[in-house]
Amino acid sequence: MGGGGGKSHAKGDYVPVSVKTTCPRDCYDTCGIVVTEAANGRVQVTGDPDHAIARGALCAKCGVAYNGVFQDAGERLLSPLRRTGPKGSGEFIPVSWEEALSEIATRLKAAIAKHGAESVLTMNYSGTMSLLASTFPNRFVNAIGASVVDYGTICNRAGKIAWELLFGTASAGFDPRTAKDASCIVLWGANPAHSAPHAQRHWLRESPARTVVIDPARTATAADADLHLQLRPGSDAALAFALLNALDEIDAFDEAFIAERVEGAGEIRADILRCTPEWAASVTGVPARDIRAAAELYARGPALLWCGQGLQRQPRGGNVMRAAGLLPAMTGNVGKPGAGFYYLNDVAELAGVDYDYLEASHLRNGPARVVHALELADRLLAPEEFRAFMVWNTNPLASSGSLDKLREACRRDDLFTVCVDLFLTDTARYADLVLPAASFLEFDDITAGYFHLNLGVQAKARPPLGDSLPNHDIFRRLAAAMDLSAPELFEEDAAVLKQVLEQAGYPGSFADLRRNGVFWLNGEKPVIMFADGHFPTPSGRIEVASARAESLGLPRCPTPEADPSPAEGRFRLLSPASMWRLNDSYANDSRLARRSGPAELIVHPDDAAALGIVTGAALRVANAAGEVVLSARVSDEVPRGTVLSYKGRWPSRETDRASINLLYDGTPNDMGESSAVHGVEVSLSIVAI
Ligand SMILES: Nc1nc2c(c(=O)[nH]1)N[C@H]1C(S)=C(S)[C@@H](COP(=O)(O)OP(=O)(O)OC[C@H]3O[C@@H](n4cnc5c(=O)[nH]c(N)nc54)[C@H](O)[C@@H]3O)O[C@H]1N2
Ligand SMILES: Nc1nc2c(c(=O)[nH]1)N[C@H]1C(S)=C(S)[C@@H](COP(=O)(O)OP(=O)(O)OC[C@H]3O[C@@H](n4cnc5c(=O)[nH]c(N)nc54)[C@H](O)[C@@H]3O)O[C@H]1N2
Ligand code: SF4
Ligand SMILES: [Mo]
């Protein structure tokens, strides 16, 4: 076992060596992990009992996957592969690293010479969030001047823009450690019971605060809350204004704070006055008394507001985020212990880590050509624009919208495609060359998440499986094969990790971090964001009215609009985070696949009765973009007119290669070309009972 030192034996008994590491998944929790040696070259991966967040346990999915598919030589890619059958067929033969890299270098050089560097489209996202593995490959991308897919648009871009307009940043939210000081926590379009299970189990339940959940679905988080506002999807901005109306009614606005720190509050007063809870009840489906009860809980203060990433994946998601952010703005719930708002914490940035250094952005001459996630299929289908497509840390043929069109684009014979992953994903199946990535258990790195304010150690706990290599090593070798010479492309891991720790002000070496496991920003003390009352907007104040919004063609202020209800016979389809998968990761773990069962669609009992649907019925779920067959589950977890199916299955592992993502045509929402996947509408019909 690497990293943690040699084996130790005491009186003939075998004492396993243990290594502390951190989970680098795209998850709020960033759990500490202990890895110990097990039989047959395998390791045992468990939660670190000393880690403040993990408290000795991994989530259900990682507990299985890290001891399952992550160490399964039958599922992991063990060597580079060259395609032998048609694109998508999954027919490959193993080749050496030398052969694979020299072929990629030759093909990329030819594309660049003939069509320019912009004809190479690169795409990566959050498969692993550890700093070296997620950012170092971009040094290569910058050095060759390739085009890039902005895959943030598939996830959270609208919310970022909305809160940048309102607060000046969306990357500095409350410190979760301040929950102990809060008297109310509002979770709006967030389901930590799935997406942040340790935060749900410990952070939320142990806080003395009363909790309010605003979600169309009665999630496990909602079922556990003091109050659940089960609104119609897409009616959140109307609800926000009604909450403001109710707060105003009980004199909960902080007029001194508004006068000093808020720009343009007067411009929304008329809307607040007309949006009574009674009006909102008819628009949102939430009883007026519950709206008033939520306002009363929030008004007690100090109060925290957590807006989930699911919240803004709706047609007017940007406006919704601006409207939800009005709660802390008008009540002055910010800058004090237990008061604040949160969408994302860019922990690396908050720690002082320099992304420009990590990605060597100075190597690029001029701005990159950017493709938004939702236009990926159309842009790739146009044969002249891109001649090569390189993908790592993401599996768009499972996660993207317009899935049918994207598959067609990936079948292009003249599109040279490379995919780097741990597994033969749906995306990898379309590649000309597939390169095997090492897992986080197999190399040193540093993690920085987006909720808890700490950096974690990622320590090598076992050798890479087969010939797999960490992302950063693969891109170093590719740079050499391309005869590139900038020294940044070859900087050693240890040197980068040392730099990162220095930038973050860590008072020790990587070896120290390896021993301690974790480095908390601000030591023991919670960080109080915006304590000085300054917001990084142009005016230095919270901008309820925003000239920047106007210049982007958006309304000057958030508005209390709601999406129209689906037409008769149509349903709104939500597809949020599953408990058994992390995005589309782990869909190929056989034990997790068994536990999660067949792909299901949750339907309200009244809708089910009207259509003759019973639990277990095969349902055709269809719209103009496509159709899939899902197994019905009748439950009042969802409101009437809304259906829900959890995201993250691999089409190649489903009957008819189906996926709910066939149903999203990629129409963007109202800000930043960002995903509106929770805004999809479908019709239902019974295939078989
Ligand atoms: N219907 C629907 N679709 C959605 C969403 C939704 O809510 N509904 N949500 C969207 C959101 S929020 C997101 S973020 C996207 C995410 O979609 P993806 O980016 O496709 O999801 P991940 O599972 O994070 O994909 C990561 C891939 O990286 C690989 N990987 C892991 N570690 C490494 C590594 O060290 N090196 C390399 N090279 N690869 C590695 C994994 O094996 C996996 O195949 O999906 C979006 N799709
Ligand atoms: N287990 C697990 N954990 C994950 C992931 C995963 O796939 N699985 N994915 C990771 C990633 S990439 C992300 S971005 C986050 C996402 O995790 P979250 O931020 O929690 O977001 P979602 O799961 O997309 O949606 C959260 C809730 O929003 C609700 N919602 C949908 N539409 C509306 C609406 O119109 N109004 C309101 N108020 N609520 C609505 C959904 O019903 C859902 O319960 O989780 C991360 N963690
Ligand atoms: S995915 Fe999240 S909850 Fe699961 S072990 Fe990793 S950090 Fe913890
Ligand atoms: Mo995401």
Side-chain angles (χ1 to χ4, degrees):
M1 180 179 293
K7 290 179 184 179
S8 50
H9 295 266
K11 290 188 179 170
D13 292 335
Y14 175 64
V15 179
V17 179
S18 74
V19 171
K20 271 184 193 295
T21 189
T22 309
C23 179
R25 299 278 77 79
D26 186 348
C27 170
Y28 295 87
D29 278 355
T30 50
C31 291
I33 290 177
V34 172
V35 186
T36 47
E37 276 181 313
N40 305 325
R42 293 176 63 91
V43 288
Q44 181 68 36
V45 186
T46 54
D48 181 351
D50 301 328
H51 192 272
I53 299 158
R55 301 198 201 169
L58 300 178
C59 64
K61 58 193 180 302
C62 291
V64 174
Y66 290 162
N67 295 295
V69 75
F70 265 56
Q71 298 189 55
D72 180 350
E75 280 289 334
R76 283 279 301 272
L77 294 167
L78 302 178
S79 75
L81 302 174
R82 181 192 288 127
R83 187 169 59 80
T84 52
K87 291 195 172 188
S89 65
E91 292 161 32
F92 291 92
I93 50 161
V95 291
S96 68
W97 272 109
E98 212 184 357
E99 242 180 293
L101 292 173
S102 105
E103 189 170 336
I104 296 169
T106 307
R107 296 289 299 264
L108 292 184
K109 278 184 179 171
I112 292 168
K114 208 160 164 201
H115 306 286
E118 293 190 327
S119 71
V120 177
L121 181 63
T122 60
M123 172 167 192
N124 63 93
Y125 202 48
S126 52
T128 189
M129 307 260 295
S130 63
L131 291 173
L132 259 174
S134 67
T135 64
F136 194 90
N138 288 334
R139 293 189 175 190
F140 173 85
V141 175
N142 285 328
I144 65 169
S147 301
V148 295
V149 178
D150 176 3
Y151 210 51
T153 47
I154 201 80
C155 177
N156 54 27
R157 179 75 73 240
K160 282 191 183 173
I161 295 173
W163 278 19
E164 275 161 19
L165 293 172
L166 185 66
F167 299 123
T169 175
S171 313
F174 60 72
D175 182 335
R177 289 175 291 182
T178 66
K180 65 176 178 8
D181 302 309
S183 77
C184 174
I185 300 178
V186 175
L187 294 109
W188 201 328
N191 180 20
H194 284 185
S195 60
H198 295 79
Q200 155 74 2
R201 194 173 315 136
H202 307 306
W203 177 82
L204 198 55
R205 285 202 186 143
E206 286 169 12
S207 162
R210 307 285 292 277
T211 52
V212 178
V213 168
I214 305 176
D215 197 310
R218 193 175 64 252
T219 59
T221 311
D224 218 34
D226 292 295
L227 185 59
H228 176 203
L229 307 187
Q230 193 169 16
L231 80 178
R232 242 180 9 81
S235 65
D236 299 82
L239 180 68
F241 275 81
L243 285 166
L244 292 169
N245 179 292
L247 285 163
D248 193 19
E249 219 171 46
I250 53 172
D251 280 334
F253 284 178
D254 184 337
E255 297 295 349
F257 179 85
I258 293 172
E260 204 177 345
R261 308 277 177 218
V262 182
E263 194 74 18
E267 297 184 40
I268 56 166
R269 298 269 182 178
D271 277 335
I272 294 174
L273 282 176
R274 83 179 161 81
C275 293
T276 61
E278 284 68 24
W279 165 81
S282 64
V283 181
T284 64
V286 180
R289 67 171 181 283
D290 287 356
I291 298 175
R292 290 204 170 86
E296 263 166 37
L297 287 178
Y298 189 78
R300 280 188 207 166
L304 297 175
L305 170 69
W306 174 351
C307 286
Q309 299 178 62
L311 176 58
Q312 41 90 66
R313 280 179 218 133
Q314 38 171 314
R316 294 167 176 81
N319 181 60
V320 163
M321 284 289 293
R322 280 175 88 192
L326 295 174
L327 263 62
M330 299 298 280
T331 58
N333 257 306
V334 60
K336 301 172 280 201
F341 47 83
Y342 163 82
Y343 178 54
L344 294 164
N345 281 326
D346 188 332
V347 175
E349 195 180 280
L350 292 168
V353 176
D354 179 1
Y355 283 111
D356 285 332
Y357 158 73
L358 283 172
E359 303 189 334
S361 46
H362 61 278
L363 293 179
R364 183 181 281 279
N365 301 318
R369 182 186 292 181
V370 177
V371 172
H372 298 302
L374 303 173
E375 58 176 5
L376 177 65
D378 284 328
R379 295 279 292 270
L380 268 184
L381 264 177
E384 309 77 32
E385 192 174 9
F386 299 112
R387 311 291 171 147
F389 184 35
M390 295 188 70
V391 185
W392 62 99
N393 269 354
T394 182
N395 181 9
L397 283 174
S399 54
S400 176
S402 308
L403 214 49
D404 240 356
K405 226 193 273 179
L406 189 58
R407 280 187 194 144
E408 189 188 335
C410 289
R411 273 195 291 269
R412 260 179 61 189
D413 270 335
D414 59 341
L415 184 72
F416 175 67
T417 304
V418 178
C419 180
V420 189
D421 205 295
L422 273 69
F423 305 105
L424 195 64
T425 61
D426 282 49
T427 308
R429 292 168 81 91
Y430 285 77
D432 294 284
L433 284 148
V434 179
L435 304 179
S439 88
F440 79 106
L441 297 168
E442 299 157 7
F443 59 93
D444 286 345
D445 209 330
I446 292 170
T447 62
Y450 51 85
F451 189 46
H452 300 287
L453 299 182
N454 67 51
L455 301 183
V457 73
Q458 180 182 307
K460 181 172 176 176
R462 54 157 296 149
L465 223 63
D467 292 335
S468 64
L469 293 170
N471 289 349
H472 33 288
D473 227 17
I474 294 175
F475 280 85
R476 273 193 205 103
R477 289 175 191 224
L478 187 55
M482 297 270 292
D483 305 315
L484 301 174
S485 59
E488 294 89 332
L489 299 173
F490 305 98
E491 195 178 358
E492 296 285 335
D493 293 5
V496 181
L497 296 177
K498 185 164 178 279
Q499 270 289 318
V500 166
L501 291 178
E502 273 174 29
Q503 289 169 1
Y506 180 65
S509 63
F510 187 76
D512 296 320
L513 187 64
R514 199 197 296 276
R515 267 190 300 279
N516 301 330
V518 70
F519 167 52
W520 286 93
L521 276 56
N522 216 30
E524 297 287 300
K525 287 211 303 276
V527 179
I528 307 298
M529 300 285 182
F530 309 110
D532 63 357
H534 177 82
F535 295 86
T537 55
S539 64
R541 289 143 55 97
I542 298 175
E543 296 195 350
V544 166
S546 163
R548 275 189 307 160
E550 279 182 309
S551 71
L552 293 171
L554 299 166
R556 190 169 152 77
C557 299
T559 61
E561 62 195 326
D563 292 346
S565 293
E568 186 62 32
R570 300 195 34 107
F571 297 83
R572 178 99 160 209
L573 168 68
L574 312 181
S575 51
S578 153
M579 163 164 191
W580 300 111
R581 295 175 292 277
L582 194 294
N583 294 330
D584 34 278
S585 297
Y586 311 164
N588 61 335
D589 186 291
S590 53
R591 273 198 295 162
L592 288 174
R594 264 200 307 281
R595 282 171 116 161
S596 112
E600 64 176 22
L601 186 78
I602 307 177
V603 186
H604 188 275
D606 293 351
D607 293 329
L611 294 170
I613 295 168
V614 292
T615 292
L619 288 185
R620 180 176 292 107
V621 187
N623 61 20
E627 63 174 59
V628 301
V629 175
L630 300 172
S631 175
R633 180 157 70 78
V634 178
S635 162
D636 66 359
E637 284 158 60
V638 292
R640 263 185 238 111
T642 299
V643 292
L644 187 150
S645 183
Y646 290 110
K647 69 170 165 178
R649 289 168 180 272
W650 290 11
S652 61
R653 309 239 165 174
E654 302 291 319
T655 317
D656 297 334
R657 303 176 67 230
S659 153
I660 38 164
N661 285 23
L662 288 166
L663 301 172
Y664 177 35
D665 67 4
T667 304
N669 70 9
D670 59 344
M671 281 185 205
E673 304 296 318
S674 197
S675 172
V677 74
H678 293 327
V680 167
E681 288 186 15
V682 293
S683 62
L684 306 180
S685 54
I686 300 174
V687 182
I689 298 274

